[in-house]
């Protein structure tokens, strides 16, 4: 009996303890535990805002956000009755099969039924669904009952796309939020582009999935603003094509080309090409703004500006050039071009890029006071970073007499572009200032920020220095630059050009581990056009060519000419008021396919009669017939894929996007192939890939 009493007592105490704990949990910890349980089953989820677009100066999309959806179904929703499900299950399965064409209707029917039997409230229907497909799904049986009564769950995911493929890819850039990496315009203007995220309440269901809950408290996201750039897609395309051909032909490591509007400093094109570890060319690194290197002979313009401004020389002065070599301290300076006479004019020295001549001018003038020369260089703002919008600008380096590395040969070697470093964009800024009459403007690539089509911020031209030198000095400098093209190192390439140009070549050895050798060079040409009324400035750099030529005159100058020819041919404002000889022998330009309103405008500016077609004509095909051209309207059927082969990328993209297609471009030049054959049925939202070739 004692044992029985003991057991009874223990049971009573245990029961009392459990009861006490229940009371304690209920009243002391109950509220906290309830909140904890609620937090584990319900949470607030962020709704990503649509990132703003990056557009070219004429409105073409350079980067855009495309919404794609992960579509799921709450198959076991209490709002979907058994009767409704059984009646509409087969027709829903049939519609899904037809839309995605990935499974037979019977398979979809089986998936839906199994999910219903298991009480699945988060059944995956399809990933990467575009908006057009989602819109169709909302009209399907069961789904058409609405967002919650129909069980349709559409989770939006945003994908960033570049409609023009690699075009200006490194300038446009990218942002990887998780890795905290920001590059190019995407990184520099991330705050404006990203918008404001929204929020919604989601609940955890079986399987560990989180599904939206309609508490009516969703906070809608605010989409990002659009960034309007100064990039001209056509000029960018030409710059990249010309640069690609030259880098590829000479097996160079990298290169860049920048085209800038003289008066405003707006960047119209910025092409950057380099090789990856496998030797493939692409837009991987922004060479134009980040790469510092010794500019070589393009820096001779700065040296001449300083000497001319200080009245140290006149263009007709003669300098002892010593038949191609001259020794400074323990080091000898050499010329590639040896003059017949020992004394050469300043004009000829610059035109033929004499190292000995330019170094003699600067050494003779400033050997007793080298800081005055360095001060003159700094007055040209070459010692300061530009402060370009895109991060990563290389900091310029101008050596001082206080530097530990200063030596007896520093002054003459600085005068020809060594023992100092500049980026291509910083060099171009100087040349642009000379073209602009001495006014140095800050290069910029963003024109404005727009929100819902309204301008909320405009970026006007900033002036770095209203006058880098006197009018007389600038006039003489322009005369020297024009002489390089007329009678100097760039004459051959620009021979018979229909417009005037000015510029300077530069072929500089590259120091590897502190030593120079004759296997590593930068070939550069910087200048502007038309020389008599400058509108555009441009710089081309070919970095470390491995085969063929090494000189700027045969590497960088041809790329410059290709870009300048295209710009000159397409900028009608340059031709305004000009008279051309032998107009009667000019043939009528022929096109294969074009947008008729644009074509009429071009023909009008060229004072050529354009065949008249109805005002509502969009696309035409044509052929040349002797001295005239015939045209016919090209019919584009809304339900049929057109043949865009042979068209320029811009027109092809416009035509296809007008039909509701998503266009993916690769390559350069005209359309060579299209992934969906002409004549195929149009499925709005479908992707079509265009391969371009020169």
């Amino acid at each position: 009996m004692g044992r029985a009493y003991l057991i009874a007592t223990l049971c009573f105490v245990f029961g009392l303890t459990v009861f006490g704990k229940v009371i304690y949990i209920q009243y002391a910890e109950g509220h906290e535990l309830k909140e904890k349980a609620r937090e584990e089953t319900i949470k607030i989820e962020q709704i990503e805002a649509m990132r703003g677009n990056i557009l070219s100066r004429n409105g073409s999309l350079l980067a855009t956000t495309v919404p794609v959806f992960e579509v799921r179904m709450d198959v076991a929703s209490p709002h979907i009755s058994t009767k409704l499900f059984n009646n509409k299950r087969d027709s829903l399965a049939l519609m899904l099969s037809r839309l995605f064409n990935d499974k037979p209707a019977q398979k979809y029917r089986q998936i839906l039924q199994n999910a219903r039997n298991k009480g699945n409230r988060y059944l995956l229907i399809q990933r990467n669904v575009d908006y057009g497909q989602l819109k169709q799904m909302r009209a399907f049986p069961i789904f058409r009952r609405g967002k919650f009564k129909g069980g349709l769950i559409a989770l939006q995911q945003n994908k960033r796309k570049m409609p023009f493929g690699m075009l200006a890819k490194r300038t446009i850039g990218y942002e990887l939020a998780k890795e905290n990496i920001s590059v190019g315009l995407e990184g520099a203007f991330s705050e404006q582009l990203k918008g404001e995220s929204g929020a919604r309440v989601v609940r955890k269901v079986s399987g560990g999935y989180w599904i939206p809950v309609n508490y009516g408290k969703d906070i809608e996201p605010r989409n990002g603003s659009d960034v309007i750039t100064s990039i001209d897609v056509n000029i960018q395309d030409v710059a990249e094509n010309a640069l690609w051909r030259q880098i590829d032909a000479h097996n160079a490591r990298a290169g860049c080309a920048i085209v800038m509007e003289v008066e405003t400093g707006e960047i119209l094109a910025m092409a950057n090409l380099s090789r990856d570890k496998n030797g493939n060319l692409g837009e991987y690194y922004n060479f134009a703004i980040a790469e510092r290197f010794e500019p070589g002979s393009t820096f001779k313009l700065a040296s001449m500006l300083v000497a001319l401004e200080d009245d140290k020389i006149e263009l007709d002065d003669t300098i002892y050039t010593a038949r191609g070599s001259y020794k400074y301290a323990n080091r000898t300076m050499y010329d590639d071009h040896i003059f017949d006479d020992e004394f050469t004019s300043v004009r000829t020295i610059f035109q033929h890029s004499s190292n000995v001549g330019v170094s003699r001018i600067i050494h003779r003038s400033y050997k007793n006071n080298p800081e005055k020369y360095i001060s003159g260089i700094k007055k040209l703002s070459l010692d300061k970073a530009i402060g370009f919008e895109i991060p990563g600008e290389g900091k310029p380096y101008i050596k001082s007499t206080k530097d530990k590395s200063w030596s007896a040969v520093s002054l003459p070697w600085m005068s020809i572009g060594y023992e100092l470093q500049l980026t291509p964009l910083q060099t171009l800024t100087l040349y642009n200032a000379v073209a602009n009459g001495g006014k140095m403007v800050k290069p910029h690539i963003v024109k404005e920020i727009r929100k819902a089509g309204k301008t909320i911020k405009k970026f006007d031209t900033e002036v770095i220095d209203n006058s880098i030198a006197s009018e007389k000095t600038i006039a003489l400098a322009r005369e020297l630059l024009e002489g390089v093209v007329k009678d100097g190192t760039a004459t051959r390439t620009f021979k018979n050009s229909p417009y005037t140009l000015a510029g300077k070549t530069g072929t500089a050895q590259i120091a590897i581990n502190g030593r120079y050798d004759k296997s590593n060079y930068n070939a550069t040409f910087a200048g502007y056009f038309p020389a008599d009324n400058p509108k555009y400035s441009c710089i081309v750099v070919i970095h470390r060519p491995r085969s063929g030529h090494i000189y700027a005159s045969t590497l960088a100058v041809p790329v410059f000419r290709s870009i300048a020819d295209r710009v000159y041919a397409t900028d009608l404002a340059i031709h305004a008021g000009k008279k051309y000889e032998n107009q009667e022998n000019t043939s009528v330009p022929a096109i294969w396919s074009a947008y008729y309103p644009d074509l009429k405008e071009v023909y009008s500016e060229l004072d050529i009669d354009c065949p008249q077609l109805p005002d509502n004509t969009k696309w035409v095909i044509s052929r040349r017939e002797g001295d005239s051209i015939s045209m016919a309207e090209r019919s584009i059927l809304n339900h049929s894929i057109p043949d865009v082969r042979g068209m320029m990328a811009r027109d092809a993209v416009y035509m296809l996007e007008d039909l509701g297609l998503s266009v993916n471009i690769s390559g350069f030049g005209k359309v060579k192939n299209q992934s969906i054959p002409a004549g195929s049925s149009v499925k709005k939202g479908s992707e079509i890939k265009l391969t371009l070739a020169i």
Side-chain angles (χ1 to χ4, degrees):
M1 289 297 293
R3 194 176 295 162
Y5 281 125
L6 178 61
I7 292 172
T9 301
L10 291 174
C11 288
F12 175 76
V13 172
F14 178 75
L16 188 64
T17 302
V18 171
F19 180 74
K21 186 65 176 178
V22 169
I23 297 300
Y24 178 78
I25 291 173
Q26 180 70 26
Y27 293 100
E29 297 180 343
H31 179 73
E32 183 180 345
L33 291 173
K34 285 177 182 177
E35 283 300 312
K36 187 175 180 180
R38 186 174 181 276
E39 288 174 3
E40 290 179 351
T41 57
I42 294 177
K43 69 177 181 179
I44 295 176
E45 183 180 70
Q46 189 179 56
I47 304 175
E48 186 182 0
M50 287 280 283
R51 195 171 176 85
N53 299 318
I54 298 178
L55 300 99
S56 70
R57 67 192 295 118
N58 64 356
S60 297
L61 285 171
L62 299 176
T64 187
T65 297
V66 178
V68 294
F69 301 87
E70 181 178 284
V71 177
R72 293 180 177 267
M73 182 181 181
D74 186 356
V75 189
S77 169
H79 298 291
I80 303 174
S81 67
T82 301
K83 181 180 179 181
L84 173 65
F85 180 79
N86 291 337
N87 288 340
K88 300 296 183 182
R89 175 194 55 205
D90 292 355
S91 54
L92 175 59
L94 179 62
M95 298 296 283
L96 290 172
S97 177
R98 286 178 176 176
L99 177 62
F100 298 115
N101 196 29
D102 60 341
K103 300 182 189 77
Q106 183 62 28
K107 182 66 175 176
Y108 269 110
R109 180 188 184 282
Q110 183 181 349
I111 291 172
L112 293 170
Q113 186 62 61
N114 289 342
R116 178 80 174 183
N117 295 339
K118 293 177 181 178
N120 193 333
R121 305 202 62 181
Y122 205 58
L123 173 67
L124 176 64
I125 300 295
Q126 197 73 236
R127 288 190 173 93
N128 295 320
V129 176
D130 63 41
Y131 181 75
Q133 292 171 322
L134 178 62
K135 191 174 180 181
Q136 293 181 59
M137 292 180 72
R138 285 174 176 158
F140 286 1
I142 303 181
F143 291 162
R144 68 168 63 105
R145 299 179 73 241
K147 183 176 181 182
F148 298 99
K149 290 183 179 181
L152 179 65
I153 302 170
L155 304 175
Q156 180 175 324
Q157 300 166 333
N158 297 329
K159 285 191 175 181
R160 203 66 170 162
K161 296 191 74 175
M162 295 183 183
F164 288 96
M166 196 178 73
L167 200 73
K169 183 178 180 180
R170 199 55 180 71
T171 301
I172 296 166
Y174 55 87
E175 184 178 56
L176 303 176
K178 291 181 180 179
E179 292 83 356
N180 196 27
I181 298 174
S182 297
V183 172
L185 292 170
E186 292 276 17
F189 290 86
S190 181
E191 284 300 313
Q192 294 86 345
L193 288 164
K194 71 181 182 181
E196 297 179 20
S197 299
R200 64 185 167 205
V201 179
V202 293
R203 182 179 71 248
K204 194 173 186 179
V205 297
S206 60
Y209 297 114
W210 293 90
I211 66 173
V213 177
N214 183 25
Y215 285 166
K217 296 181 181 180
D218 287 6
I219 301 173
E220 293 298 324
R222 296 183 180 180
N223 295 337
S225 302
D226 295 335
V227 173
I228 315 301
T229 72
S230 55
I231 293 175
D232 185 302
V233 173
N234 291 323
I235 298 175
Q236 179 74 30
D237 184 47
V238 172
E240 289 195 8
N241 268 288
L243 189 64
W244 184 294
R245 288 195 300 268
Q246 202 72 327
I247 290 176
D248 189 52
H250 296 276
N251 193 26
R253 286 297 307 165
C256 72
I258 314 170
V259 182
M260 185 159 68
E261 197 170 64
V262 168
E263 186 177 357
T264 65
E266 291 181 1
I267 302 293
L268 305 181
M270 183 178 284
N272 293 281
L273 293 173
S274 56
R275 296 188 186 275
D276 63 13
K277 60 182 180 181
N278 297 318
N280 299 315
L281 274 175
E283 284 244 354
Y284 307 121
Y285 172 64
N286 203 322
F287 192 94
I289 67 171
E291 186 70 14
R292 298 187 317 169
F293 56 85
E294 294 171 306
S297 293
T298 54
F299 192 78
K300 290 173 182 174
L301 171 64
S303 293
M304 299 305 289
L305 284 168
V306 173
L308 287 167
E309 188 72 357
D310 289 343
D311 291 323
K312 298 293 185 181
I313 52 168
E314 296 287 343
L315 298 192
D316 292 324
D317 288 350
T318 56
I319 306 296
Y320 178 64
T321 51
R323 294 190 181 276
S325 66
Y326 193 85
K327 191 170 185 178
Y328 298 96
N330 61 346
R331 191 175 176 187
T332 303
M333 177 89 66
Y334 293 99
D335 273 337
D336 288 318
H337 177 87
I338 300 176
F339 301 106
D340 293 332
D341 300 321
E342 290 188 353
F343 287 86
T344 312
S345 72
V346 171
R347 193 188 309 275
T348 303
I349 284 170
F350 190 83
Q351 289 173 355
H352 293 277
S353 199
S354 168
N355 295 330
V356 171
V358 172
S359 64
R360 289 275 296 132
I361 291 170
I362 299 303
H363 188 258
R364 184 185 68 176
S365 302
Y366 300 99
K367 63 182 178 181
N368 296 323
N369 188 8
E371 277 296 341
K372 183 170 176 57
Y373 168 77
I374 295 169
S375 176
I377 295 298
K378 291 181 177 180
K379 285 181 181 178
L380 300 175
S381 298
L382 293 178
D383 62 323
K384 304 180 187 71
I386 294 167
F388 196 57
E389 300 111 312
I390 297 175
E393 180 185 358
K395 186 178 180 181
Y397 168 64
I398 304 297
K399 181 174 281 193
S400 167
T401 55
K402 297 177 182 179
D403 288 358
K404 291 182 180 180
S405 60
W406 182 269
S407 69
V409 299
S410 291
L411 180 62
W413 257 262
M414 281 182 67
S415 72
I416 63 168
Y418 289 92
E419 298 196 24
L420 53 89
Q421 292 182 327
L422 296 173
T423 69
L425 185 59
Q426 290 158 2
T427 299
L428 179 60
T429 302
L430 174 65
Y431 278 75
N432 193 82
V434 172
N436 203 23
K439 180 188 287 187
M440 181 176 281
V441 295
K442 180 180 176 180
H444 65 108
I445 201 166
V446 175
K447 292 171 67 70
E448 56 184 283
I449 307 293
R450 289 182 192 163
K451 184 81 171 180
K454 294 183 179 179
T455 300
I456 59 175
K457 186 175 182 180
K458 198 168 184 178
F459 296 87
D460 296 320
T461 300
E462 293 183 37
V463 178
I464 296 173
D465 190 339
N466 276 303
S467 180
I468 63 170
S470 66
E471 290 184 11
K472 177 185 176 183
T473 296
I474 294 298
L476 292 173
R478 288 176 63 165
E479 187 178 333
L480 286 173
L481 292 171
E482 289 178 41
V484 172
V485 175
K486 290 179 181 177
D487 303 302
T489 54
T491 302
R492 181 182 301 176
T493 302
F494 291 114
K495 189 177 181 181
N496 299 323
S497 171
Y499 53 95
T500 56
L501 300 100
K504 181 72 184 73
T505 54
T507 305
Q509 288 187 34
I510 302 171
I512 304 295
N513 297 323
R515 292 186 176 184
Y516 297 96
D517 62 57
K518 294 186 177 182
S519 62
N520 293 293
Y521 288 88
N522 276 322
T524 306
F525 185 79
Y528 52 85
F529 61 95
D532 50 347
N533 184 25
K535 188 172 182 182
Y536 302 102
S537 60
C538 178
I539 187 170
V540 175
V541 181
I542 306 295
H543 179 64
R544 296 177 68 181
R546 290 301 186 203
S547 60
H549 301 282
I550 61 169
Y551 293 105
S553 57
T554 52
L555 282 174
V557 175
V559 177
F560 189 105
R561 172 79 193 253
S562 295
I563 297 170
D565 280 354
R566 177 62 178 269
V567 174
Y568 178 78
T570 55
D571 187 345
L572 300 177
I574 293 180
H575 302 266
K578 288 184 176 290
K579 294 183 179 180
Y580 299 95
E581 298 178 1
N582 303 320
Q583 284 189 333
E584 66 277 4
N585 296 325
T586 303
S587 60
V588 177
I591 49 94
W592 176 77
S593 180
Y595 189 58
Y596 185 59
D598 288 349
L599 191 62
K600 283 199 302 181
E601 183 178 349
V602 171
Y603 271 47
S604 174
E605 291 291 340
L606 294 175
D607 199 23
I608 297 174
D609 292 332
C610 183
Q612 294 301 308
L613 297 174
D615 291 337
N616 61 352
T617 301
K618 283 190 173 182
W619 299 97
V620 295
I621 54 176
S622 70
R623 69 181 180 190
R624 194 199 305 273
E625 294 180 351
D627 293 332
S628 63
I629 194 167
S630 64
M631 292 182 193
E633 183 176 1
R634 183 179 183 187
S635 298
I636 307 298
L637 302 177
N638 289 331
H639 59 275
S640 181
I641 301 289
D643 186 356
V644 296
R645 291 173 300 174
M647 296 179 67
M648 296 301 293
R650 179 183 174 188
D651 285 342
V653 169
Y654 181 87
M655 179 184 289
L656 294 170
E657 287 186 344
D658 196 39
L659 294 173
L661 297 169
S662 175
V663 185
N664 191 329
I665 297 176
S666 63
F668 299 96
K670 295 181 180 180
V671 179
K672 185 77 173 179
N673 293 304
Q674 56 189 81
S675 62
I676 304 178
S680 302
S681 297
V682 171
K683 286 186 178 180
K684 291 192 175 181
S686 298
E687 182 181 73
I688 181 170
K689 296 180 180 179
L690 303 182
T691 303
L692 311 183
I694 300 169

